[in-house]
Amino acid sequence: MAKNKTIPRPQLIWRLVPSQEICQQLGISYSTLKRWRKTGAIREGVHWQYRPGTKARLLWNLDLMRDWVSNSGTPAHARSIELFVASLPSS
């Protein structure tokens, strides 16, 4: 009987970028980004992080934001969030 080999999962890299770059990458305005954040359409700690005392106070998860624009409200985006949370050192 052949043993089943476990294939290691690739290390996921989540890129955090400032507001100006996320707007450029997604082709949206800052007011759209702000509206999504204020209405709760995107989640703090998942899609964006607040970093007080830094030049770029808001940092955005580029990969999850791209996925959100393409798949918001779908099981595919929910799976992307699960992968992100599972990849955190605290998980």
Side-chain angles (χ1 to χ4, degrees):
M1 239 186 226
K3 289 185 178 182
N4 290 337
K5 287 188 175 183
T6 303
I7 300 172
R9 284 181 25 192
Q11 181 66 32
L12 300 174
I13 298 172
W14 304 95
R15 293 172 285 176
L16 297 176
V17 298
S19 298
Q20 182 180 1
E21 185 173 342
I22 198 77
C23 289
Q24 289 173 343
Q25 291 284 330
L26 299 180
I28 60 171
S29 68
Y30 183 75
S31 60
T32 298
L33 196 60
K34 186 177 178 180
R35 184 179 69 245
W36 290 345
R37 188 170 57 87
K38 295 289 184 182
T39 61
I42 53 180
R43 295 173 27 196
E44 181 177 6
V46 174
H47 298 99
W48 62 277
Q49 297 177 11
Y50 180 68
R51 298 278 175 102
T54 61
K55 184 176 180 182
R57 291 180 177 236
L58 293 177
L59 293 176
W60 302 86
N61 186 322
L62 177 60
D63 304 299
L64 277 181
M65 288 299 294
R66 281 182 175 157
D67 187 72
W68 187 84
V69 167
S70 299
N71 302 305
S72 64
T74 68
H77 186 64
R79 180 67 181 135
S80 295
I81 291 172
E82 289 174 13
L83 287 171
F84 169 71
V85 171
S87 73
L88 296 174
S90 59
S91 293

